[in-house]
Amino acid sequence: MNANLLELSGIHVSYGRAEVLHGISLSMKPGSIVTVIGANGAGKSTLLNAIMGIVPSSGTIVYDGKPVPRSVEGRVAAGLCLVPEKRELFATMSVEDNIELGGFLRNASERAETREEVYARFPRLAERRKQLAGTLSGGERQMLALGRALMSRPRLLLLDEPSLGLAPKIVIDILNIVSELRKTGVSILLVEQNARAALEIADEGYLVELGEVRLSGPASELSVNPALMESYLGTHS
Amino acid sequence: MIATFLIQDGVTNGAIYALLGLALVLLFSVTRVIFIPQGEFVAYGALTLALLDGGKVPATISLLVCFGAIAFLFDLWSMRRGTDARTFLRSLALNLVLPGVIYGITIMLAPLDLPSVAKALLTILIITPMGAYIYRIAYRPLADASVLVLLIASVGVHLAMMGLGLVFFGAEGLRAEPLADDNFSIGSLMVSAQSLCIYGATIAIIVGLYLFFERTLLGKALRATAVNRLGARLVGVRTHLTGVTAFTLAAAIGAVSGVLIGPITTIYYDTGFLIGLKGFVAAIIGGLASFPITAIAAIGVGLVEAFSSFFASSYKEVIVFGLIIPVLIWLSLSHGFHEEE
């Protein structure tokens, strides 16, 4: 059980001629929350997109002891699921349909079962199941994105800035939900700009700057690291 | 009196254009392909039915086998770096066995004097898989291309299919026998059974599409792909799956249109293009996005065509295609500018 769920080594990603990730290595244990923090443009989202297979990358991604499947769909089937920064919901379709489609690769009985779990976890979504996804508030959209992701029964959730653009109170709600999720056995790779909050719920942290890992270690150590505190956590505390 | 006749004529043609327009909207919203060759499916369908009526073996089955074989070669090429048995067998079944079986069935059934409904179904069976093969051959390798590149590919597919139509069917026009040749009179109006078939089939397909998109997971996945391609990929909807489904549906709709129109006009190997363009006018009026507006616009196109061919017959095509201009102006004014994808 000591095997890592995800093991990245030497991940390089280029957009055209510009290389944005210069060999990132990262590993995470099953059932853990790992956070990747760093400034805007450091390459955090690109890293998640590379893990999901949306952008081509070089280097090796080992998932669950095996090389990760090639296609995005293959990765979803294997239990990887990305909640992207822009949520990418089906805006002109109902909440219900969005949730349903989240379980596209699962069979009907798995879908029905997971759907009840999702509605139990997000009662707000159950109330609005007939509403179009595009008419939801920011927080509700994030809940829908999470709910849709859970429908695929992921083993590794990749969350890209789940708190982006949300009111502070809702940020706390969302992050609470994220740490709740871990109790169900889902591992979470969390990309956040809100470094303090992210380190609070994470087990391990990685600081990425300009496409490279600058610092890594247990979240409790990183949150008291003086260099990190100054640039990402604010000077007080 | 003349007006009622023209209205009937217009609605009948309009129903066919509606089917074409719906297929075009379906394809564009799911795959971003502006599918010019949709009319070729209609011509193939009508010609196949006409040949079956004559007790001949339609050349379309050879064409189907060729398409399947080429699609299989494409699959083999993409499997060259290793594959699993399941993918290989699925490709074998879809691209070689299926056309082979249809070939065999057709050879057996063609000389028999089948009821016309059976001939119509056989025609639809022959044409429908072509959609999947054309997607595999022409569009799947271009899955990430721009709308313009896909449009250029469509022109190529159209020319190829029209050329193959000439090779396989010859230059003569054919007319199929009506599915049913009774006539009813409702008041002073004579209604042929064939036009009732057309209305019935159009309504059935519209209802069927509605149920498919609203009730089934695959239909929802197609809608989801149209709304948000990235979102659809992230939930595990394969671009190839939606592409194949959309093209197969479009080919089936095209085949149905061909079966319906075959008995009311003489169809040549190149007739499909003009019919397809009229469906395209309706699809444009629907903004290549709205199914109901497209269907209503198609009836309008049929009516305008019927009236203009009566009052100004030499200008009828100009008038019909001229409809598109005010719509385009209105669309471009109301949308400001369209973001290039």
Side-chain angles (χ1 to χ4, degrees):
Chain A
M1 279 318 283
N2 282 331
N4 286 324
L5 180 65
L6 183 72
E7 183 101 47
L8 307 180
S9 47
I11 299 295
H12 290 258
V13 173
S14 306
Y15 292 124
R17 279 202 200 142
E19 189 176 87
V20 290
L21 294 185
H22 319 293
I24 296 233
S25 298
L26 177 157
S27 60
M28 62 187 291
K29 295 203 173 8
S32 63
I33 299 185
V34 171
T35 184
V36 176
I37 54 183
N40 251 337
K44 301 177 304 252
S45 298
T46 304
L47 178 65
L48 290 191
N49 289 340
I51 297 173
M52 200 61 215
I54 293 170
V55 297
S57 60
S58 61
T60 56
I61 304 176
V62 175
Y63 169 73
D64 202 15
K66 294 183 289 277
V68 77
R70 238 186 333 167
S71 65
V72 178
E73 306 79 34
R75 293 179 196 200
V76 176
L80 283 154
C81 190
L82 170 66
V83 179
E85 189 182 321
K86 290 183 180 153
R87 330 296 195 227
E88 309 293 351
L89 298 171
F90 309 121
T92 56
M93 298 173 76
S94 67
V95 168
E96 215 171 23
D97 285 348
N98 272 270
I99 292 283
E100 197 72 22
L101 281 163
F104 185 74
L105 295 178
R106 305 295 159 204
N107 66 38
S109 66
E110 285 174 328
R111 263 206 313 279
E113 190 185 310
T114 323
R115 181 172 53 224
E116 292 320 306
E117 287 167 27
V118 167
Y119 282 143
R121 189 178 293 281
F122 303 105
R124 182 69 72 85
L125 294 181
E127 281 166 32
R128 317 222 154 189
R129 38 176 102 193
K130 298 286 171 204
Q131 213 168 310
L132 295 186
T135 64
L136 298 178
S137 71
E140 289 164 346
R141 272 184 222 193
Q142 186 56 58
M143 286 179 199
L144 180 55
L146 280 171
R148 188 180 73 176
L150 291 178
M151 284 297 289
S152 72
R153 302 188 157 207
R155 293 176 58 204
L156 173 56
L157 258 183
L158 310 169
L159 301 181
D160 196 354
E161 305 269 6
S163 71
L164 191 76
L166 301 181
K169 187 193 161 305
I170 300 172
V171 172
I172 295 168
D173 288 347
I174 295 281
L175 290 176
N176 279 339
I177 292 170
V178 171
S179 58
E180 283 281 306
L181 283 178
R182 183 237 307 260
K183 292 181 192 152
T184 64
V186 184
S187 313
I188 294 159
L189 183 56
L190 173 67
V191 158
E192 259 296 342
Q193 286 214 53
N194 191 339
R196 181 184 305 281
L199 287 171
E200 245 166 59
I201 61 168
D203 306 305
E204 304 268 331
Y206 286 78
L207 171 66
V208 174
E209 271 179 352
L210 300 173
E212 281 171 57
V213 174
R214 276 292 135 85
L215 273 176
S216 65
S220 51
E221 281 175 25
L222 285 186
S223 58
V224 293
N225 182 301
L228 196 90
M229 267 164 61
E230 203 176 309
S231 26
Y232 294 98
L233 302 175
T235 40
H236 69 282
S237 128
Chain B
M1 187 56 221
I2 288 168
T4 51
F5 178 75
L6 289 177
I7 289 172
Q8 198 205 344
D9 193 37
V11 172
T12 307
N13 285 332
I16 304 262
Y17 301 152
L19 290 182
L20 284 158
L22 294 178
L24 290 171
V25 172
L26 165 74
L27 283 177
F28 182 74
S29 57
V30 176
T31 65
R32 298 170 307 135
V33 171
I34 295 172
F35 194 60
I36 298 168
Q38 179 65 20
E40 262 69 58
F41 287 138
V42 179
Y44 282 15
L47 292 167
T48 303
L49 181 65
L51 287 168
L52 283 172
D53 277 338
K56 297 196 194 83
V57 175
T60 347
I61 53 172
S62 319
L63 204 54
L64 182 70
V65 171
C66 293
F67 280 153
I70 298 171
F72 184 65
L73 290 180
F74 271 71
D75 273 0
L76 280 185
W77 177 252
S78 62
M79 287 188 273
R80 70 192 182 281
R81 288 206 197 93
T83 181
D84 52 295
R86 218 172 124 234
T87 319
F88 180 79
L89 288 177
R90 194 166 37 187
S91 168
L92 193 73
L94 176 70
N95 298 318
L96 294 183
V97 178
L98 178 69
V101 169
I102 294 175
Y103 191 96
I105 293 177
T106 313
I107 296 270
M108 277 194 319
L109 294 182
L112 308 177
D113 194 22
L114 294 173
S116 45
V117 176
K119 281 185 248 175
L121 291 177
L122 185 58
T123 303
I124 295 165
L125 182 69
I126 295 170
I127 305 296
T128 304
M130 286 189 183
Y133 303 144
I134 284 170
Y135 172 73
R136 179 64 191 92
I137 296 166
Y139 297 101
R140 193 168 135 182
L142 298 174
D144 298 317
S146 68
V147 172
L148 182 62
V149 171
L150 292 170
L151 175 64
I152 295 167
S154 287
V155 175
V157 173
H158 158 66
L159 292 174
M161 285 183 76
M162 203 167 70
L164 289 170
L166 178 60
V167 172
F168 282 86
F169 296 108
E172 291 122 82
L174 293 170
R175 187 187 280 242
E177 282 162 25
L179 296 174
D181 38 19
D182 311 294
N183 284 299
F184 307 96
S185 49
I186 301 171
S188 62
L189 200 62
M190 283 290 281
V191 183
S192 69
Q194 180 68 20
S195 44
L196 288 182
C197 288
I198 293 179
Y199 306 147
T202 304
I203 292 168
I205 285 182
I206 290 175
V207 172
L209 281 177
Y210 175 81
L211 292 176
F212 174 68
F213 284 123
E214 291 292 325
R215 298 288 157 79
T216 68
L217 191 64
L218 182 59
K220 285 176 189 174
L222 259 67
R223 274 168 66 207
T225 307
V227 176
N228 189 327
R229 308 182 75 74
L230 177 58
R233 290 186 73 197
L234 288 176
V235 298
V237 177
R238 288 166 60 226
T239 319
H240 301 162
L241 175 72
T242 51
V244 163
T245 312
F247 271 85
T248 309
L249 275 175
I253 296 172
V256 172
S257 325
V259 165
L260 295 172
I261 206 171
I264 57 175
T265 30
T266 306
I267 300 284
Y268 298 83
Y269 71 97
D270 63 350
T271 312
F273 182 56
L274 214 54
I275 302 173
L277 276 187
K278 284 170 192 158
F280 186 66
V281 171
I284 288 287
I285 296 173
L288 279 174
S290 164
F291 287 104
I293 297 178
T294 301
I296 294 164
I299 305 291
V301 169
L303 288 172
V304 168
E305 187 190 34
F307 279 89
S308 54
S309 58
F310 182 74
F311 291 108
S313 67
S314 45
Y315 291 105
K316 87 170 191 194
E317 312 291 11
V318 177
I319 294 171
V320 170
F321 293 123
L323 282 176
I324 226 172
I325 293 171
V327 175
L328 287 179
I329 292 174
W330 182 74
L331 281 178
S332 78
L333 288 180
S334 64
H335 284 247
F337 64 94
H338 255 299
E339 213 176 309
E340 219 357 76
E341 208 180 344

